[in-house]
Amino acid sequence: MVILMNYSKQRELILNTLKENVVHPTAEYLYGKIKEKDPKISLATLYRNLNQLSDNGIIKKIDGLEPSSHFDHNTHEHYHFICEKCKRVFDISADIAPDLIKKTENSTGFEIQSHDIVFTGICKECKSKQ
Amino acid sequence: MVILMNYSKQRELILNTLKENVVHPTAEYLYGKIKEKDPKISLATLYRNLNQLSDNGIIKKIDGLEPSSHFDHNTHEHYHFICEKCKRVFDISADIAPDLIKKTENSTGFEIQSHDIVFTGICKECKSKQ
DNA sequence: ATATAAAATGAGAATTATTATCATTTATGG
DNA sequence: CCATAAATGATAATAATTCTCATTTTATAT
């Protein structure tokens, strides 16, 4: 039997800190938060763990906010909205696109393993401030 | 009156080369192709133009294939599928998710300016080779 | 318990995609 | 043809992420 991940204090801390955050933080932001609790933790450890956790489907990497990736502890099917003004990332319910996988697999013959939808625009709050 | 973009030989070459490519190339791949025709062209010129063209909606930047962005000359509404095996990027018809914008704007109150769907999985060809 | 092997860490160097700088060249509109 | 704005080429700079490697921690079998 193959062991995928051994326990580590650092990984637990990283995952817990990510879960506490309503926002979808970058590695850099997370690093700041994590160092408050473990000032000796290395940036390499953070990146290593974020990659492992997302490779194993425990967290999700969000692209589309270059130059840095954002991370999401919510693995329930849902999508993202990035506000161009305040740069915050909002969750969007998966209800907006029912049967997306099935439809796409049927029309292409491809096997779909994962998918993400990223919307950009102006959020409600920023729109009312204009 | 504000001029957005002046003509340049280099930009024309970049856009034409992108249009010739069925694949959705990275800047690096494009640079190779473009240098065959204009060996003196600078990498900075390529990046500058790719950014300008995508800022003006003439081409599209595709995220989700880190560490480098890919570029797409097709600006008709469509989505992308990335094969995990062969790493090719395929176009997916927008028919799979009708009224996506309208539904999302209605349920969130956000103003949506753009959106992209990226699927990952195994393409038909790679699946049959397994 | 203890030994052993596999996995994880910390620190910092290395990598690499992309952007910035700046002097020179090219395009545009009167 | 002139003035101005925009674009280029060459290269330096930036910054996010990965790699290296010696040391420490974790899991497992005896």
Side-chain angles (χ1 to χ4, degrees):
Chain A
M1 185 229 181
V2 183
I3 296 162
L4 287 171
M5 278 198 269
N6 280 347
Y7 171 83
S8 92
K9 215 175 281 197
Q10 290 87 342
R11 179 149 49 231
E12 187 175 42
L13 175 59
I14 289 167
L15 194 50
N16 285 340
T17 309
L18 186 56
K19 281 184 182 162
E20 281 165 16
N21 272 276
V22 212
V23 297
H24 301 70
T26 59
E28 198 195 358
Y29 179 90
L30 252 188
Y31 192 52
K33 288 287 166 192
I34 285 166
K35 275 213 293 201
E36 291 173 10
K37 295 175 195 158
D38 177 359
K40 292 287 290 170
I41 199 168
S42 162
L43 185 57
T45 300
L46 175 58
Y47 273 105
R48 250 186 320 243
N49 277 292
L50 289 173
N51 284 334
Q52 278 182 101
L53 290 166
S54 88
D55 286 349
N56 287 287
I58 297 164
I59 67 174
K60 262 198 106 181
K61 197 182 272 199
I62 308 172
D63 298 316
L65 267 166
E66 276 58 29
S68 24
S69 297
H70 289 236
F71 296 89
D72 191 348
H73 72 276
N74 180 358
T75 51
H76 296 131
E77 184 165 306
H78 71 285
Y79 307 122
H80 293 111
F81 175 91
I82 297 164
C83 177
E84 290 285 315
K85 287 252 170 177
C86 63
K87 299 295 175 189
R88 282 184 297 177
V89 181
F90 297 84
D91 286 341
I92 302 285
S93 155
D95 298 345
I96 51 159
D99 306 318
L100 191 64
I101 299 297
K102 208 182 296 173
K103 277 189 192 171
T104 307
E105 285 188 330
N106 287 345
S107 68
T108 60
F110 297 167
E111 177 190 325
I112 291 169
Q113 292 169 344
S114 72
H115 73 291
D116 200 15
I117 306 183
V118 178
F119 299 91
T120 65
I122 312 290
C123 76
K124 214 171 179 173
E125 210 174 311
C126 286
K127 227 168 63 175
S128 68
K129 276 185 195 153
Q130 275 174 334
Chain B
M1 186 228 183
V2 184
I3 297 161
L4 287 171
M5 279 198 270
N6 279 349
Y7 171 84
S8 92
K9 215 175 281 196
Q10 290 87 342
R11 179 152 47 234
E12 187 175 42
L13 174 59
I14 288 167
L15 194 50
N16 285 340
T17 311
L18 186 56
K19 281 184 182 161
E20 280 166 15
N21 270 277
V22 213
V23 296
H24 301 70
T26 59
E28 199 196 356
Y29 178 90
L30 252 186
Y31 192 51
K33 288 287 166 192
I34 285 166
K35 275 213 296 203
E36 289 173 11
K37 295 174 195 158
D38 176 359
K40 293 285 291 169
I41 198 168
S42 162
L43 184 58
T45 299
L46 175 58
Y47 273 105
R48 249 186 322 241
N49 277 292
L50 289 173
N51 285 335
Q52 277 181 104
L53 290 167
S54 89
D55 287 348
N56 287 288
I58 297 162
I59 66 173
K60 263 198 106 180
K61 197 181 272 196
I62 308 173
D63 298 315
L65 265 167
E66 276 57 30
S68 24
S69 297
H70 289 235
F71 296 89
D72 190 349
H73 71 275
N74 180 358
T75 52
H76 296 131
E77 185 165 305
H78 72 285
Y79 306 121
H80 293 110
F81 175 91
I82 298 163
C83 177
E84 290 286 315
K85 288 253 170 176
C86 63
K87 301 292 176 191
R88 282 185 297 176
V89 181
F90 297 85
D91 286 342
I92 302 285
S93 156
D95 298 344
I96 52 161
D99 305 320
L100 190 63
I101 300 297
K102 206 182 296 174
K103 275 189 193 171
T104 307
E105 285 188 330
N106 287 345
S107 67
T108 60
F110 297 167
E111 177 189 324
I112 291 168
Q113 292 169 346
S114 72
H115 73 292
D116 200 14
I117 307 184
V118 178
F119 298 90
T120 64
I122 311 291
C123 76
K124 214 171 178 175
E125 209 174 313
C126 286
K127 227 169 63 177
S128 70
K129 277 186 195 155
Q130 276 175 331

